[in-house]
């Protein structure tokens, strides 16, 4: 089976005091920059408010894949699309009107993405598939980097791949992806990989992105 592979490094575990330099370290070899926005309400952690996130998004040399882990996300999601994010993920658990907000994100020029927490069933969201450009299946509880990959999410990844069928929808996994676990997620059907600590804790983050991509591309095209 042939599948395009995307590696989207998360800067959650990067050095926030020199973020531009950290982004530049992986820019040439990465597809998108995964930006984890947390509000300390939807998840028990805080990263950026809209103003701080905007300044990263507008100055990033990489297109930004915003992962909004915020409550009452419908309104702010559109603003993230409007300021130029390439992709905006809303969480199913935090969105009042999922199809409308996905449509609004697209209308504002970004890819629309629906995020699913580990305890949430994907099947109930099958009906919005045509409003979705990407599904993000969490493979850890959202909130923190550096957690262990939840292999028991792979049934959900396989189910999501079935829902997607022939549509050109990306299937992203987020949490605990490394050289050890990428194979499991790939075999279950993922094609887009968020990698946080495995990239930024590596001695050479860019080389790690390259290795992950080479491994996934070779195995995915076997
Ligand atoms: C967790 C975030 C992830 C996190 C991934 O809530 O959504 O994007 O940064 O980090 P690792 O790869 O270390 O699990
Ligand atoms: Zn994330």
């Amino acid at each position: 089976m042939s599948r395009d592979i995307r590696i989207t490094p998360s800067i959650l575990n990067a050095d926030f005091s020199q973020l531009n330099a950290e982004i530049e370290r992986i820019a040439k070899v990465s597809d998108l920059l995964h930006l984890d926005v947390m509000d300390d309400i939807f998840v028990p952690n805080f990263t950026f408010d809209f103003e701080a996130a905007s300044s990263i998004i507008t100055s990033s040399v990489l297109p930004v894949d915003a992962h909004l882990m915020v409550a009452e996300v419908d309104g702010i999601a559109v603003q993230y699309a409007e300021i130029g994010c390439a992709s905006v993920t809303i969480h199913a658990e935090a969105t009042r009107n999922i199809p409308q907000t996905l449509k609004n994100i697209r209308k504002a020029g970004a890819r629309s993405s629906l995020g699913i927490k580990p305890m949430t069933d994907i099947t109930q969201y099958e009906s919005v598939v045509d409003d979705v450009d990407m599904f993000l299946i969490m493979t850890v509880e959202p909130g923190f980097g550096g957690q262990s990959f939840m292999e028991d999410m792979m049934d959900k990844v396989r189910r999501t791949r079935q829902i997607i069928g022939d549509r050109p929808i990306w299937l992203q996994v987020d949490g605990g992806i490394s050289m050890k676990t990428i194979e499991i997620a790939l075999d279950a059907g993922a094609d887009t990989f968020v990698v946080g600590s495995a990239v930024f804790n590596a001695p050479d983050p860019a080389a790690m992105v390259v290795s992950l991509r080479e491994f996934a591309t070779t195995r995915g095209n076997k």
Side-chain angles (χ1 to χ4, degrees), residues 75-150:
I76 198 84
V78 183
Q79 295 183 44
Y80 274 92
E82 285 168 352
I83 58 163
C85 289
S87 172
V88 177
T89 298
I90 54 170
H91 264 273
E93 306 85 359
T95 310
R96 282 183 190 271
N97 189 334
I98 294 173
Q100 190 57 54
T101 299
L102 291 168
K103 285 186 177 80
N104 291 345
I105 291 169
R106 270 190 184 163
K107 217 184 296 165
R111 296 176 62 87
S112 60
S113 166
L114 188 63
I116 308 287
K117 283 171 62 169
M119 296 303 283
T120 305
D121 183 10
I122 182 75
T123 307
Q124 58 188 312
Y125 301 111
E126 200 170 335
S127 61
V128 301
V129 67
D130 288 316
D131 294 318
V132 168
D133 294 313
M134 179 169 86
F135 284 105
L136 181 164
I137 305 299
M138 290 302 308
T139 43
V140 296
E141 278 299 336
F144 301 92
Q147 303 181 75
S148 299
F149 177 74
M150 296 168 73

